[in-house]
Amino acid sequence: MKAYREAYREAPVASRSIRRVLRACLAAWLLAVLLPVAAHAHPHVFVDNTMDVVFDAQGMSGIRVTWKFDPMASMQYLADLDPNGDGVLTREEWEAQREDIAGFLAEERFFLYIMVNGTTVPVTAVHDFVVTYADGVLTYTFFAPLAVPRGSRVLVAVYDPSYYTDFQTYESGVRLSGEPDGAEFAFEDAPELAFYGGQVIPMAARIVF
């Protein structure tokens, strides 16, 4: 290393300038190559999301959501939910922390993005919020109440704008139940909800009834 430093000091100025340019070019190339990879690798938690869109005689009454966390995240979160560390999440342990977790999720609108006739409808509270742990998988379920009259257009998506959590929703994981007579359903990209600098476009359910 000493010899390298001495050789660098003794090198002509023009030669050192060329090396600086080359290093700058290399740095720019690394940024161009690695930044997109870093963006795609950003999520730390992966969740399989399913939604049951519930209808009654008046229209859409709500959405029952189920999240299944990946094994690594399930194990990490269980450590906080299971204070005695026996690997079993009891109803008592869950109830002791339900209010705090629900409060945090409410600040994030439960990661539910709902638009009715082009207007955003925030989800600030849910019913029947339960967390269970079985076979190495942590599962959240809750019901988001709505009162959307018939004759409406609804868009529903689940995603984390920070992209810390990657919610995966598939068409097979969305269903209409109750009294969805006449409802038309499509599951497709929602470019109007693009996030993370526009790099990620979530999938959304579009429902007309």
Side-chain angles (χ1 to χ4, degrees):
M1 182 63 73
K2 181 179 179 181
Y4 173 81
R5 291 195 185 111
E6 291 176 351
Y8 184 83
R9 282 197 297 270
E10 294 173 0
V13 173
S15 178
R16 294 202 299 270
S17 297
I18 291 173
R19 284 198 291 271
R20 283 196 294 269
V21 171
L22 290 175
R23 282 200 299 272
C25 290
L26 177 60
W29 178 82
L30 287 173
L31 286 173
V33 170
L34 295 180
L35 278 180
V37 174
H40 289 300
H42 180 75
H44 293 73
V45 177
F46 299 88
V47 177
D48 284 335
N49 168 67
T50 59
M51 299 183 293
D52 183 7
V53 184
V54 182
F55 290 80
D56 58 21
Q58 284 70 46
M60 185 184 296
S61 60
I63 303 171
R64 185 165 301 282
V65 177
T66 300
W67 296 342
K68 291 187 178 295
F69 290 79
D70 69 84
M72 182 64 71
S74 294
M75 182 176 63
Q76 291 173 341
Y77 292 166
L78 181 67
D80 294 328
L81 292 168
D82 177 30
N84 63 12
D86 64 357
V88 177
L89 178 60
T90 66
R91 187 171 185 85
E92 290 74 21
E93 289 172 332
W94 160 240
E95 288 295 338
Q97 303 186 63
R98 180 178 59 82
E99 187 173 344
D100 287 341
I101 296 175
F104 162 74
L105 290 176
E107 294 176 1
E108 302 295 335
R109 304 195 306 181
F110 294 87
F111 300 106
L112 260 174
Y113 293 82
I114 302 172
M115 298 182 72
V116 177
N117 298 324
T119 299
T120 300
V121 176
V123 176
T124 58
V126 299
H127 300 161
D128 306 324
F129 185 20
V130 177
V131 173
T132 58
Y133 179 79
D135 300 323
V137 175
L138 193 70
T139 302
Y140 282 24
T141 60
F142 56 84
F143 182 78
L146 297 169
V148 183
R150 292 191 180 275
S152 300
R153 294 177 292 104
V154 179
L155 179 148
V156 182
V158 175
Y159 64 91
D160 175 6
S162 74
Y163 210 29
Y164 184 89
T165 301
D166 184 7
F167 290 94
Q168 292 289 327
T169 307
Y170 303 97
E171 185 170 3
S172 60
V174 182
R175 69 171 187 171
L176 311 184
S177 65
E179 302 179 39
D181 299 343
E184 297 179 3
F185 165 72
F187 188 71
E188 57 194 19
D189 288 344
E192 65 266 49
L193 298 179
F195 63 99
Y196 202 60
Q199 297 182 61
V200 184
I201 297 176
M203 300 293 291
R206 299 179 189 273
I207 308 166
V208 179
F209 58 98

